[in-house]
Amino acid sequence: MRVFFMGTPQLAVPVLKSIIQSKHEVVLVVTQPDKPVGRQLKIGASPIKLLALSEGLPVIQPVTMKDEDFRKKLEELKPDIGVVFAYGKILPQWLLDLPRHGVINVHASLLPRWRGAAPIQRAIMAGDKVTGTTIMQVVKELDAGDILLQKEIEISPQDTAETLALRISDASAVLMVEALDRIEAGTITPRKQEESGITYAEKITDADLEINWDNSADNIINQIRGLNPKPGAHTHFDETLLKVWWVAKAPEIKKQGEPGTIVHIDKHNGPYVATTTDALLLVEVQPANRKKMGGAEFIRGYRLKVGDKLGFRGQGPGARV
């Protein structure tokens, strides 16, 4: 089939690669306009654009879906189907109606669970043990189209949003080619999403980033894993924003204090912080404008002591007591 592909980030690269290597023909790659990246704010191309150019594929980067040149280009190409993965814009009805097989999408969850913008992060933050990938028909309503294929993927206790995204992306690449083959052969049967299972993965906001130490150790761990590596969960110490990249439960620390209080100092491993359940060892942190560091280095650099507090306590930043 003649396929046009729409995507932007690295997450979508394995899926485009798999289509390029299949029997199907990629006739056009659509990706977001180049943007400033890095500290130098140099204009950079998206990972999908870089792959497309390296493969000699035509690329178009419309600023808006109302771009008439973009529409004319697609109409001239007469594609059989469109494939979308993490493109980043709502698609207009004319585009969905243009290919004879419509447009299909990769969604990084087992729909109807976690429709929306941040399915990978929200699945980890909610403590889900299983998620997956779904190939679905794109319709006007967000992530509400018929399901074509799905594959379950286990979420391990060590998974971050980054590691889970990589496995979902790889699984999606295989599943997408199977979907294209079966659509062409007419052997795929779409099924409606179950209304009873719908949940929404809202976009990550600043309110999601602050660690609430008045929470269980498990919930805090899930929050930190779900926000790693972007944008990162954080707390505050001595008016300094402290990103927390990794923690570990420490049930052996029996002495508990007010949530957010450092209840034990291990100079070889790091500080232990009270929650509403188990204490948590700060394994890897990053004070503002500093590099990432282990918990032991954090102790030495900031001279922590038992009784110091992390986080907002309703009266301003955490502080020594």
Side-chain angles (χ1 to χ4, degrees):
M1 290 193 292
R2 292 168 58 80
V3 181
F4 73 86
F5 183 89
M6 304 181 73
T8 300
Q10 184 65 35
L11 183 68
V13 165
V15 175
L16 176 56
K17 272 186 180 177
S18 71
I19 301 172
I20 293 171
Q21 293 166 358
S22 75
K23 66 179 181 179
H24 305 287
E25 179 188 5
V26 179
V27 296
L28 183 66
V29 173
V30 187
T31 190
Q32 294 284 345
D34 298 349
K35 293 180 179 178
V37 295
R39 291 188 176 183
Q40 304 298 322
L41 296 181
K42 292 182 178 178
I43 300 298
S46 74
I48 285 295
K49 179 181 178 180
L50 295 175
L51 172 60
L53 294 179
S54 72
E55 296 287 340
L57 297 172
V59 177
I60 191 166
Q61 297 173 276
V63 174
T64 168
M65 292 290 98
K66 296 179 181 177
D67 186 325
E68 284 300 320
D69 290 338
F70 167 52
R71 182 169 182 164
K72 185 178 178 183
K73 180 74 174 176
L74 266 186
E75 290 173 344
E76 290 173 350
L77 288 169
K78 300 185 186 310
D80 297 306
I81 194 166
V83 171
V84 183
F85 189 12
Y87 176 64
K89 285 189 175 179
I90 301 295
L91 305 185
Q93 192 62 48
W94 70 261
L95 191 147
L96 304 183
D97 294 338
L98 193 147
R100 64 189 177 99
H101 291 296
V103 177
I104 61 176
N105 172 239
V106 179
H107 188 77
S109 81
L110 293 176
L111 289 172
R113 184 161 176 78
W114 300 128
R115 290 181 180 179
I120 296 174
Q121 294 91 334
R122 294 294 181 190
I124 295 175
M125 293 167 74
D128 288 4
K129 305 301 182 189
V130 175
T131 184
T133 179
T134 300
I135 309 297
M136 55 167 283
Q137 200 79 41
V138 179
V139 295
K140 193 171 182 180
E141 186 181 353
L142 181 66
D143 298 333
D146 289 353
I147 293 170
L148 304 178
L149 293 173
Q150 283 186 316
K151 180 178 177 58
E152 288 189 357
I153 295 171
E154 183 180 349
I155 301 176
S156 82
Q158 287 73 42
D159 265 326
T160 63
E162 182 177 45
T163 62
L164 183 57
L166 289 173
R167 289 192 287 122
I168 288 176
S169 183
D170 288 343
S172 301
V174 176
L175 206 62
M176 177 55 73
V177 172
E178 180 184 347
L180 291 173
D181 290 349
R182 290 179 59 182
I183 289 170
E184 184 176 36
T187 60
I188 204 164
T189 303
R191 63 179 169 87
K192 300 288 183 187
Q193 295 188 34
E194 296 288 340
E195 292 291 326
S196 59
I198 295 173
T199 62
Y200 288 94
E202 302 293 343
K203 185 178 179 180
I204 302 296
T205 68
D206 289 347
D208 294 306
L209 310 187
E210 182 77 30
I211 296 171
N212 177 10
W213 297 102
D214 283 302
N215 210 331
S216 71
D218 286 332
N219 285 344
I220 293 171
I221 290 172
N222 292 338
Q223 177 190 11
I224 292 168
R225 292 165 54 227
L227 298 174
N228 187 343
K230 291 182 178 178
H234 64 235
T235 186
H236 288 76
F237 177 70
D238 272 0
E239 301 183 2
T240 296
L241 185 144
L242 180 72
K243 287 207 171 186
V244 182
W245 294 112
W246 200 256
V247 294
K249 275 204 294 190
E252 72 277 12
I253 304 299
K254 299 300 181 186
K255 183 181 178 182
Q256 280 285 7
E258 186 179 355
T261 304
I262 294 176
V263 292
H264 181 71
I265 296 283
D266 182 331
K267 64 180 182 181
H268 299 295
N269 294 312
Y272 292 73
V273 184
T275 70
T276 57
T277 55
D278 298 306
L280 286 175
L281 168 65
L282 299 187
V283 177
E284 186 177 52
V285 298
Q286 184 177 16
N289 302 316
R290 299 287 303 276
K291 63 180 177 60
K292 292 181 181 178
M293 61 182 69
E297 184 180 355
F298 181 49
I299 290 172
R300 292 192 297 272
Y302 288 81
R303 299 180 180 178
L304 301 186
K305 67 179 187 299
V306 171
D308 287 345
K309 289 184 178 179
L310 304 181
F312 287 101
R313 314 303 306 168
Q315 298 176 344
R320 294 174 186 274
V321 294

